Structures are given as C-alpha cells and as structure tokens.
Amino acid sequence: MARPRNPLLSRERIVAAALELVDTEGLTALSTRRLAAVLGVSGPSLYNHFATKEQLMDAVVDEVVGEVDLSMWESVDTDGWAGPVTAWARSYRAALVAHPNLVPVLAQGPGRRANSLRLADAVFGGLVDAGWARGDATRIGALMRYFVYGSALGSFAGGFVDDQEIYAAEYPHLGQAHLLAEHRRSVDEGAFETGLTALVEGLSRQYPHPRRPTPGPSAAPSAAPPTGPRPRP
Amino acid sequence: MARPRNPLLSRERIVAAALELVDTEGLTALSTRRLAAVLGVSGPSLYNHFATKEQLMDAVVDEVVGEVDLSMWESVDTDGWAGPVTAWARSYRAALVAHPNLVPVLAQGPGRRANSLRLADAVFGGLVDAGWARGDATRIGALMRYFVYGSALGSFAGGFVDDQEIYAAEYPHLGQAHLLAEHRRSVDEGAFETGLTALVEGLSRQYPHPRRPTPGPSAAPSAAPPTGPRPRP
DNA sequence: ACCTGAACACCGTTCAAGT
DNA sequence: ACCTGAACACCGTTCAAGT
C-alpha cells in the first residue's frame, strides 16, 4: 500500500485502540504487532507516530489520568481541604479502577506527562491554598496517592483464590477467605472508604488548624525538611 | 553435558538468582534465557524446576513476603492493635522497598502463595484477637495493604523528573518539584509515616472500643456486609 | 510524510535426545 | 531425573523501499 493520501493512523486512534486492548485482554496482550493488527496496519507503522512502545504507553497512561476530576480544588478557599481531598481521591480511584490492567504502568510517577503534572499541580496548589505548609502539602499529596494507587492496584478481595481447600487446612483464620472473591467489589470499596475516612480524620487531628495561605506568588513543593508538626516516630 | 550426577540447579538457587537479577537490572531483564545464563545452564533447564515463568515469579514473590515480620501479632492480647499494626506496616513496607522492581508483581494478591497466606492469616487473626469484628478486620487488613503497596510501588518523589524547565513554565505550583528527586527517601518515608499515623489514629477514632474477642473457634473473614459503623458516604 | 516487508536480536515454551 | 540443542510462535525495533 505504501503511503495513503489520508493517513491511516493518528496518535489518538492508536492510544484509543491500545487502551481498549489493555482493558479487554490485559497488559501482556498489548504488543506493537497485535495493536497494529487491530488497527489494520503492519507493526512498524506505529513508529511513525511514537518513537517507542514506552512513549505510546505514556500517552495511554496520561489519557487515563486526564479522566480524573480536579474541579474540586478550585473551591478550597471556601470549602476547606477535607471535602476536596475526599472527592478527588474517589475520582482518582474511579479512573484507575476503570482500567485496572494499567495501574502498574500508571504507578511510575508523573514524569513528563501533561495530565499527571496538571493533577499534581492542582492538588499541591489546592492544599497550599487551604493553608497547609508546603512540606505538609507535599506529604499529603504523596500519601493520598499511595492509598489510591494501592487500592486500585490488584484487588484485595479478588486476590484470594476461590478454593476453600487451600485456606481451611493450613491457615486457621482464613476459613472463609475464598468467599471474598464473590464480594470483591463491596469489600474493596468498603476498605477504600474506611481508609479514606480514617486518613482525612487522622490528618485533621494531627494538624487541626492549617494556616491561611500567605499572599504573593504561589508556593512550590518544599524539598527541604518539613516544617509542620512531625508524626510520632 | 546432559544430566550431571549432582544437579546443577535447585529451586532455591533459581529463586535467589532471579531476585538478584530483578533487583540489579529490573523486571524486564528477567528472562528465562538470561536467568539461565547467570546460572550457567541453558534456558530450557529451568523448566525442570518450574512449570512456567509465572510459577517461578510466584516463588520469588513469596520469598520477599517471607521477610515480613509477623511476630508482633502474637502479643495483641496485651498490647492492643495499634502498636502491632504500625510495626507490621513498617516491616511490610521495608520488605517491599528492598525490592522495588518486584512490587507490581507482588501486588497481585496472595493467591496460593504460602507466605502471603501466612501473612493474611496472622493479620486477620491478630485484629480479631484484638477485638475487631470480622468485617472490620477484613477491611483494615485490606486498607493497610493498599497503603503499604502504594507507598512501595513507585516512589512519589522519584517520579518527578530532575529537570526544572519542564515544571516551572506550565505548572504554577510545581516550581521546585524537580528538587524532589534529591530528597526522595526522606519525602517518601515522611509521607508514609504521616499517612500511617493518620490511618491508625483515624481508625481509633472511628471505632473507639473494639469488642473483646468471643471465645470458641477462630473467626474467619466476613464476606457479608460489614457489621461495624460505616464510613460517611 | 507515512506505509510496507524483510531482517535483527530477542522472548517463553516444547520436545526429542542424551546420560 | 535433569540437562542439551533445535525448533515454534512470538516480541520491539530498524531500515531500505515504495508512493
């Protein structure tokens, strides 16, 4: 065929097809050759649009991160930080859970991905606007990320095999663990909500009165030792 | 060579070499062929000891999980749950952080792995012994796991590229984010400790008085709807 | 500029053959 | 029982060739 007069591919089409392939058949099913076949082209064609498979994955990942709602961070001044951080964590988790096979790839940090950086910027800026010291805002953003990623990465309940024999014999307290697989969604969501509530409540207790933000140019994440109260060692 | 009179390989040697290869060169460097080369044999030899690469990875993963200290769960009756859950979470994270390239593989649930099930059994049994209802114990075990895995899986601070240009121009609050890479360890550990303290404190406030355990056979994880107080929706 | 097939250096896994 | 080399069906990526 050689070069058609209308391009067969675009970055958008490739990313959409890759996401669908990962969602339906898993991360290992996403090879450049299979992806190209789905798109009706030959394998090397993809390299006209992405330099490497890794850059392609970056684009797929950033697409998913772009689905996270960040609008709640705009109203931090009037609403405080607890409501926004809770709503943001739920939206973040929902975006990841919609594409569970991608979570290990997502977990590699914001790097240079536009939507990932937009997210980090909104969260950090929102926490600082709410009155948190920069070191605290950095830590809170990080620890919320830990919790959200952990909750999306591999279901807890789904990780138990649905086979009673394995558990009952050897592990005295796991006699009904095989039932967890059935209730996977409710257990995972219940654990997430319980932990989210505990985190926000615990942070409120540790740091009861975040300072009002200082006027002037926006603060940036502190890389220096934290200035707020430290957790107990 | 064919069959030597003393076997060249053993499951233990293979697992140890695989773990070292993953630690030093990353997950993608662990191919059956490279692993075999390190061990001084040809690729297919491994299949005399493991049926598939996946089962080999299971053994590697379980070795790492076996490093987690569980002894604190024995003294729950006298010490309460908060100290043990904190000590356990720290030991768990330390075991994962020692092998960061393996965390995405570790995150796939206990499955049928002996040490992973032993861990789940000890944690669930300890929480129930401390007086938690079974549904609560299940959720607490799950949410702690979320937090520990998230904190080990991809550093928050290390995820930012060490390149000021990228951040300053586009993202108003990330002007110093590039410095995070330098302080990776202290930021990650500070965030972990802050979150851990908040979680334990938040759980204590939500459920101030866990019931004493009922006598009789050990309880099992409840797959039924949780019986304790629910988090706010 | 954008696609192709051929080619390179890899994979995981199977299997007959050797001792 | 435990190792070998050959082989199969895959990979990601490069590249000259086509329009």
Side-chain angles (χ1 to χ4, degrees):
Chain A
M1 169 184 313
R3 181 185 175 220
R5 70 177 63 84
N6 291 326
L8 297 176
L9 297 177
S10 66
R11 289 176 63 99
E12 292 71 26
R13 273 198 70 216
I14 294 170
V15 167
L19 189 54
E20 187 177 342
L21 194 52
V22 169
D23 285 344
T24 55
E25 305 201 35
L27 200 54
T28 56
L30 180 62
S31 69
T32 55
R33 287 168 147 96
R34 283 208 55 185
L35 177 57
V38 164
L39 290 162
V41 298
S42 79
S45 302
L46 301 173
Y47 289 85
N48 288 295
H49 302 269
F50 293 97
T52 62
K53 188 188 179 188
E54 194 183 344
Q55 288 189 19
L56 196 170
M57 294 306 294
D58 251 30
V60 174
V61 158
D62 213 41
E63 170 106 343
V64 171
V65 174
E67 294 169 12
V68 179
D69 183 16
L70 299 175
S71 62
M72 69 290 290
W73 290 111
E74 293 160 20
S75 52
V76 153
D77 284 333
T78 56
D79 297 353
W81 63 278
V85 87
T86 303
W88 165 70
R90 287 190 181 127
S91 174
Y92 204 172
R93 176 174 185 270
L96 304 193
V97 165
H99 308 284
N101 299 331
L102 210 56
V103 176
V105 187
L106 274 153
Q108 288 159 196
R112 301 177 146 81
R113 300 192 301 258
N115 287 332
S116 306
L117 290 168
R118 213 182 330 274
L119 181 148
D121 190 59
V123 173
F124 180 76
L127 289 168
V128 170
D129 282 350
W132 289 101
R134 297 184 302 171
D136 293 337
T138 301
R139 281 199 301 276
I140 293 172
L143 70 90
M144 292 303 301
R145 202 187 96 107
Y146 296 161
F147 186 65
V148 168
Y149 273 83
S151 76
L153 172 82
S155 156
F156 175 79
F160 286 85
V161 180
D162 189 4
D163 178 352
Q164 183 158 19
E165 300 307 311
I166 296 171
Y167 303 115
E170 302 259 2
Y171 307 97
H173 305 104
L174 300 182
Q176 301 193 333
H178 65 106
L179 296 176
L180 283 170
E182 285 176 42
H183 300 268
R184 174 179 178 145
R185 274 194 55 149
S186 69
V187 172
D188 287 337
E189 279 176 20
F192 175 74
E193 287 294 332
T194 300
L196 178 58
T197 303
L199 274 175
V200 172
E201 206 165 298
L203 289 171
S204 300
R205 304 270 179 178
Q206 281 185 72
Y207 308 98
H209 301 297
R211 295 175 280 303
R212 287 282 86 198
T214 54
S218 297
S222 168
T227 56
R230 301 304 310 277
R232 314 186 286 254
Chain B
M1 172 183 314
R3 181 185 176 222
R5 68 177 64 84
N6 290 327
L8 298 175
L9 297 177
S10 66
R11 290 176 62 100
E12 292 71 27
R13 274 198 70 217
I14 295 170
V15 167
L19 188 54
E20 188 178 341
L21 194 51
V22 169
D23 285 343
T24 55
E25 305 202 34
L27 200 53
T28 57
L30 180 61
S31 69
T32 56
R33 287 168 147 96
R34 283 209 54 186
L35 177 58
V38 165
L39 289 162
V41 297
S42 79
S45 302
L46 301 173
Y47 289 85
N48 288 294
H49 302 269
F50 293 96
T52 62
K53 188 188 180 188
E54 194 184 344
Q55 288 188 19
L56 196 170
M57 294 305 295
D58 251 29
V60 174
V61 158
D62 213 41
E63 170 106 341
V64 172
V65 174
E67 294 169 12
V68 180
D69 182 16
L70 299 174
S71 62
M72 69 289 289
W73 291 111
E74 292 159 20
S75 52
V76 153
D77 285 333
T78 55
D79 298 352
W81 63 277
V85 88
T86 302
W88 166 70
R90 287 190 181 126
S91 173
Y92 204 172
R93 176 173 185 271
L96 304 193
V97 165
H99 308 284
N101 299 330
L102 210 57
V103 176
V105 187
L106 274 154
Q108 287 157 198
R112 300 178 146 80
R113 300 191 300 259
N115 287 333
S116 305
L117 290 167
R118 213 182 331 273
L119 182 148
D121 191 57
V123 174
F124 180 77
L127 289 168
V128 169
D129 282 351
W132 290 100
R134 298 184 301 170
D136 293 338
T138 300
R139 282 200 300 278
I140 293 171
L143 69 90
M144 292 303 302
R145 201 186 97 108
Y146 297 161
F147 185 65
V148 168
Y149 273 83
S151 76
L153 171 83
S155 156
F156 175 78
F160 287 86
V161 180
D162 189 4
D163 177 352
Q164 182 159 18
E165 300 307 310
I166 296 170
Y167 302 116
E170 302 259 2
Y171 307 96
H173 305 103
L174 300 182
Q176 301 194 332
H178 66 106
L179 296 177
L180 284 170
E182 285 176 42
H183 300 268
R184 173 177 180 146
R185 273 194 55 149
S186 70
V187 172
D188 287 338
E189 278 174 21
F192 175 75
E193 287 294 331
T194 301
L196 179 57
T197 303
L199 274 174
V200 172
E201 205 165 299
L203 289 170
S204 300
R205 304 270 180 178
Q206 281 186 72
Y207 307 98
H209 300 298
R211 295 175 280 302
R212 286 282 87 198
T214 53
S218 297
S222 169
T227 55
R230 301 305 309 277
R232 315 186 285 253

